[in-house]
Amino acid sequence: MLVVGELINSSRKAVAQAIAGRNKEYIQELARKQVEAGAHIIDVNCGTSIGEEDKVMTWLVTSVQEVVDVPLCIDSPSAEALAAGLAVHKGQAMINSITAEKERWQEVLPLVQKYKAKVIALCMDDGGMPESVEDRLRVAGKLVPGLLEAGIPEDDIYLDPLIKPLGVNSRYGVEALEAVAALKEKYPKVHTICGLSNVSFGLPERRLLNRAFMVMCLTRGMDAFILDPLDTLLIGLLKAATALAGQDEYCLEYIAAARAGKIKA
Amino acid sequence: MAVLEELKEALMAGNANKVRELTQKALDEGIAPTTIINEGLIAAMNIIGVKFKNNEVYVPEVLVAARAMHAGMDVVKPLLAGDALEDKGTLVIGTVKGDLHDIGKNLVIMMMEGAGFKVVDLGIDVPVEKFIQAVEEHKPQLVGISALLTSTMMQMKKTVEGLAAYRDKIKIMVGGAPVTQKFADEIGADGYAPDAASAVDLARQLLAS
């Protein structure tokens, strides 16, 4: 189970402030805490630094890698910012994200190849957001073969089914879950990943929905999540569900996390 | 007019069937269609809008309320003479080119329709020319521009610039997750709204100014 820590994102006010003031200590502390809590990869996003995103991304990547040993997930809708972050990244980075939109595909694919990065492949194309399981399978049918043809190993591909808010349509939860299962069945060696917070937009007590959704995704075969690793209940459920799904031999990870006090009932 | 109070309650509870019945009952009691719309259906949606802004109701509750409003509108609209309903204004709205997000935009449309505005939805991935064409064709008072990606915010600027020739006739409102008041000012929009209910307030302010 792969955990990508989502907290270094400039859409969060405190992070935007830290970035604006180049508060390196704050960013480094946030990275350290997420790794301690169990994140395997740290996402870095500075989308709100308009006009200087490349520069800020470079600063973020170097600052974070000064204090943690894990790879980073370079997260930006701008290909220039992705390139800037990848250029200074040490180790195998993850790119968030490529899509089947023509322009995006052409901009991002060379970066995936050049840096031999892991890549999140979002199930959308120029036709817009996917509206069904079939839409997602159709777009994944362009993404996966395209990436493989470009020489990207299956193990480096993370399909994101694109999660839409349950509050807008009460079928969006189950639709996403069915998509996970269908993608997993069609591409068993490719990973599936998603962010958890989209699903709860517009609803109260969002963390409850995020946590439940994580467990449900996991049972349908999802094996990577972009999440808040400092949500201890979420991490506890993740460890428990991983063990229950038969993916934690002798429950050793679960036991170790409990013994270390990292998870609690 | 106790029936209108009942109608508002039913609408806010999202009970479409009851709204349909009560709209008919109000008509049977001789209440004018425009009164039913303004003091019943739209008034109730306005209350929902305020509650939504204050986090007292949530997105799905707004959706069922809007559905109930449309159920009432369907009963009363055929009875309106063409120009009987006070014209609240027309909004042309779309998500900018390169951006395929529509959930936020659709919430704005719902609230604006709920407030009695006529809305022309241009959809997603809308190039500047299509905004211009729609302004020519529909002669709106308001243009709404949405962007959900930090990378498409600059397209928002281009869209505002593209509409320069019409600025004496239209007010431009912008919104979307990465957009701020500061950004709206920088690109020369007339206003920014952080959420769908605020968009209605903003529209009213812009039209009054």
Side-chain angles (χ1 to χ4, degrees):
Chain A
M1 196 58 54
L2 184 84
V3 173
V4 180
E6 70 183 4
L7 295 177
I8 303 181
N9 188 313
S10 62
S11 67
R12 302 175 63 235
K13 244 191 201 144
V15 173
Q17 273 173 7
I19 288 174
R22 297 294 189 275
N23 183 346
K24 198 163 158 180
E25 290 69 36
Y26 181 89
I27 298 292
Q28 290 181 331
E29 181 61 18
L30 198 51
R32 228 179 343 235
K33 273 200 215 151
Q34 292 185 85
V35 173
E36 270 165 28
H40 306 109
I41 296 183
I42 301 297
D43 189 276
V44 284
N45 173 306
C46 53
T48 54
S49 306
I50 300 152
E52 52 166 11
E53 196 184 342
D54 309 7
K55 244 172 43 198
V56 175
M57 186 60 93
T58 305
W59 176 78
L60 269 183
V61 171
T62 44
S63 301
V64 171
Q65 286 203 312
E66 276 173 25
V67 294
V68 297
D69 284 330
V70 303
L72 308 189
C73 177
I74 318 288
D75 177 4
S76 173
S78 146
E80 290 77 29
L82 291 178
L86 288 162
V88 294
H89 184 273
K90 293 177 284 186
Q92 188 190 20
M94 183 178 238
I95 294 176
N96 190 3
S97 55
I98 198 165
T99 71
E101 295 163 278
K102 202 167 164 235
E103 205 183 315
R104 184 79 180 162
W105 176 263
Q106 284 169 353
E107 287 174 348
V108 178
L109 184 61
L111 297 173
V112 185
Q113 290 174 305
K114 182 174 175 191
Y115 293 100
K116 300 195 173 6
K118 292 179 190 290
V119 63
I120 296 175
L122 199 53
C123 289
M124 68 186 280
D125 63 6
D126 290 308
M129 301 283 163
E131 290 295 333
S132 61
V133 175
E134 291 69 33
D135 271 357
R136 290 172 172 91
L137 281 172
R138 182 178 53 75
V139 179
K142 295 194 253 183
L143 288 166
V144 176
L147 288 166
L148 293 177
E149 206 173 297
I152 315 302
E154 278 178 312
D155 193 39
D156 284 345
I157 304 172
Y158 290 76
L159 279 174
D160 184 332
L162 201 147
I163 309 301
K164 298 199 278 186
L166 179 64
V168 172
N169 184 325
S170 31
R171 280 205 50 83
Y172 281 171
V174 69
E175 187 184 289
L177 293 167
E178 282 168 7
V180 174
L183 291 170
K184 203 71 206 171
E185 195 191 333
K186 194 160 175 208
Y187 306 106
K189 288 185 183 154
V190 167
H191 301 282
T192 46
I193 192 168
C194 75
L196 294 177
S197 50
N198 273 1
V199 80
S200 57
F201 167 81
L203 290 167
E205 302 300 332
R206 295 182 62 174
R207 284 180 160 206
L208 279 178
L209 291 158
N210 298 349
R211 290 168 188 153
F213 187 62
M214 183 274 297
V215 174
M216 294 172 86
C217 282
L218 195 147
T219 63
R220 306 303 286 266
M222 189 163 275
D223 61 357
F225 293 97
I226 306 165
L227 52 71
D228 172 6
L230 304 189
D231 178 348
T232 48
L233 279 175
L234 178 69
I235 293 295
L237 281 171
L238 180 72
K239 299 276 183 204
T242 305
L244 287 164
Q247 297 169 24
D248 179 6
E249 224 178 335
Y250 295 100
C251 307
L252 289 183
E253 280 193 37
Y254 179 79
I255 295 169
R259 187 168 287 135
K262 286 185 178 173
I263 59 171
K264 260 199 146 39
Chain B
M1 291 194 282
V3 64
L4 286 186
E5 283 310 311
E6 249 186 285
L7 176 64
K8 277 157 69 179
E9 287 299 322
L11 190 150
M12 287 190 283
N15 189 335
N17 288 332
K18 203 160 172 203
V19 166
R20 204 174 290 123
E21 275 170 36
L22 288 167
T23 304
Q24 190 58 53
K25 189 172 165 209
L27 288 171
D28 296 343
E29 286 180 17
I31 302 174
T34 50
T35 308
I36 296 173
I37 291 174
N38 287 323
E39 290 168 36
L41 302 172
I42 291 179
M45 273 312 281
N46 284 341
I47 298 172
I48 286 285
V50 172
K51 287 188 171 182
F52 179 55
K53 213 162 46 182
N54 296 336
N55 285 324
E56 289 167 45
V57 299
Y58 297 95
V59 167
E61 295 171 300
V62 179
L63 294 177
V64 288
R67 188 184 60 182
M69 186 197 75
H70 282 294
M73 282 289 187
D74 288 345
V75 176
V76 75
K77 264 216 172 132
L79 305 173
L80 287 173
D83 57 356
L85 189 61
E86 182 197 350
D87 189 7
K88 298 265 192 324
T90 300
L91 167 74
V92 161
I93 188 169
T95 304
V96 294
K97 187 169 184 317
D99 200 323
L100 310 177
H101 293 82
D102 64 357
I103 286 171
K105 170 184 70 66
N106 292 347
L107 289 175
V108 170
I109 291 173
M110 195 180 64
M111 294 305 301
M112 290 293 288
E113 285 179 345
F117 288 85
K118 186 182 159 211
V119 179
V120 180
D121 181 11
L122 303 180
I124 54 173
D125 198 17
V126 181
V128 179
E129 309 80 65
K130 204 166 155 194
F131 273 104
I132 294 173
Q133 212 178 15
V135 168
E136 289 276 352
E137 185 183 339
H138 300 283
K139 310 255 180 281
Q141 294 77 36
L142 296 162
V143 174
I145 310 175
S146 170
L148 254 288
L149 297 171
T150 48
S151 55
T152 50
M153 286 168 77
M154 283 303 137
Q155 184 62 31
M156 195 172 237
K157 181 168 183 253
K158 284 186 198 152
T159 309
V160 173
E161 287 165 1
L163 292 167
Y166 305 88
R167 293 304 290 273
D168 54 335
K169 297 185 197 74
I170 56 166
K171 299 281 187 192
I172 298 179
M173 332 179 0
V174 296
V179 182
T180 58
Q181 181 66 55
K182 186 166 161 270
F183 180 76
D185 295 341
E186 276 167 19
I187 63 170
D190 294 298
Y192 157 75
D195 59 65
S198 309
V200 174
D201 297 341
L202 176 64
R204 290 193 182 118
Q205 270 171 33
L206 289 175
L207 291 183
S209 65

